[in-house]
Amino acid sequence: MSYTYTTYKTALATLMVVPESDSDFVAILPSIIDYAENRCYQDLDLLSTTVRQSSGSLTANSRSFTSSNPSSGTWVTIQGMNVLTPVGSTTANGTRNPVMPASLRLIDFLYPTETASGTSVPALYAMIGDNSFVVGPAPDAAYAVEVIGQVRPTALSVSNTTTILSTYFPQLLITSSMIFASGFQKNFSAASDDPQTPIGWEAQYKKLLVSAQTEEVRKKYNQTFVGMLQNPPTAGGTT
């Protein structure tokens, strides 16, 4: 069953055996969600968190470019970049010119100047921050840029009632939440009421993670390989 923010909060409070209105529970809930979601996103390579952002543009005679965060979340990793030609074109009517990743030292060596020479479309880029780049050669005009990468989606909340995790991986989300919640319930130390609680939730999380990762790989058209891993042939040649 998928969760909304409301049903997730109810399920979590039930598992923690606390009232949803409990002031301590209300105060710790954002931290629980933050821990649970970040852990799931870091452990999963979700295809659905890959986005293309094409709202930015280069500045003529400048090797510097900063991409704004997509509306769906915050940049985590950048996987590629395209410069669109001709000037003023968009992803709907322009031509994509792939810009290849390179080291900053290489770009500085090959394209040391900020001044473009004639028609100049960048061919290389180097990351100098989470969403900041140096390109080379320097562009001769304000070409539109398409950035491809993975984002950290907006967290589950009252104003964002569903997420990728709450919709497609609800068991993983609630289990990860309970690992952090065990700390709230003071069940992390040997002197706690039930020191096995976080160990049990951690073990369950790892089991569910394997299933989630397998499902995610299937989305990337690796079904045969996954099937071999999950169902190795027996000596008789059957699975």
Side-chain angles (χ1 to χ4, degrees):
M1 179 186 76
S2 298
Y3 286 126
T4 63
Y5 176 76
T6 299
T7 58
Y8 163 83
K9 185 173 68 170
T10 299
L12 183 63
T14 300
L15 288 170
M16 294 174 64
V17 196
V18 296
E20 288 185 57
S21 59
D22 180 84
S23 59
D24 291 330
F25 173 73
V26 172
I28 199 65
L29 184 57
S31 294
I32 293 176
I33 293 173
D34 185 60
Y35 170 88
E37 290 190 331
N38 280 327
R39 180 162 185 187
C40 290
Y41 287 129
Q42 288 164 358
D43 286 340
L44 290 169
D45 183 20
L46 294 177
L47 185 63
S48 53
T49 60
T50 300
V51 301
R52 296 190 297 175
Q53 169 85 328
S54 56
S55 61
S57 62
L58 299 171
T59 300
N61 296 308
S62 174
R63 298 189 310 158
S64 299
F65 169 70
T66 299
S67 175
S68 60
N69 287 308
S71 59
S72 57
T74 304
W75 287 122
V76 176
T77 60
I78 302 299
Q79 300 170 342
M81 179 189 296
N82 296 310
V83 170
L84 302 170
T85 57
V87 178
S89 62
T90 66
T91 54
N93 60 11
T95 298
R96 288 179 172 85
N97 299 269
V99 187
M100 304 304 294
S103 69
L104 179 58
R105 289 177 66 84
L106 178 62
I107 295 176
D108 285 345
F109 176 77
L110 294 175
Y111 310 108
T113 178
E114 297 282 334
T115 304
S117 177
T119 301
S120 181
V121 177
L124 300 175
Y125 77 88
M127 298 292 301
I128 58 171
D130 291 341
N131 59 340
S132 299
F133 311 80
V134 166
V135 299
D140 66 297
Y143 298 103
V145 179
E146 179 183 57
V147 178
I148 303 97
Q150 283 189 311
V151 299
R152 182 73 76 242
T154 304
L156 187 69
S157 65
V158 174
S159 59
N160 187 48
T161 58
T162 61
T163 66
I164 297 165
L165 295 175
S166 71
T167 301
Y168 297 105
F169 304 98
Q171 303 98 322
L172 197 66
L173 176 63
I174 198 72
T175 302
S176 182
S177 299
M178 284 302 297
I179 296 171
F180 188 91
S182 296
F184 168 80
Q185 296 173 313
K186 298 181 175 58
N187 278 329
F188 258 103
S189 70
S192 65
D193 293 335
D194 187 3
Q196 294 301 311
T197 295
I199 297 174
W201 285 112
E202 178 70 26
Q204 182 65 13
Y205 173 83
K206 289 180 177 178
K207 289 180 181 179
L208 292 171
L209 179 62
V210 172
S211 299
Q213 288 172 330
T214 301
E215 182 176 276
E216 198 60 26
V217 171
R218 290 196 190 108
K219 296 177 184 178
K220 300 172 184 176
Y221 306 103
N222 291 322
Q223 297 95 328
T224 302
F225 179 65
V226 172
M228 291 173 62
L229 292 177
Q230 298 299 314
N231 301 293
T234 63
T238 60
T239 56

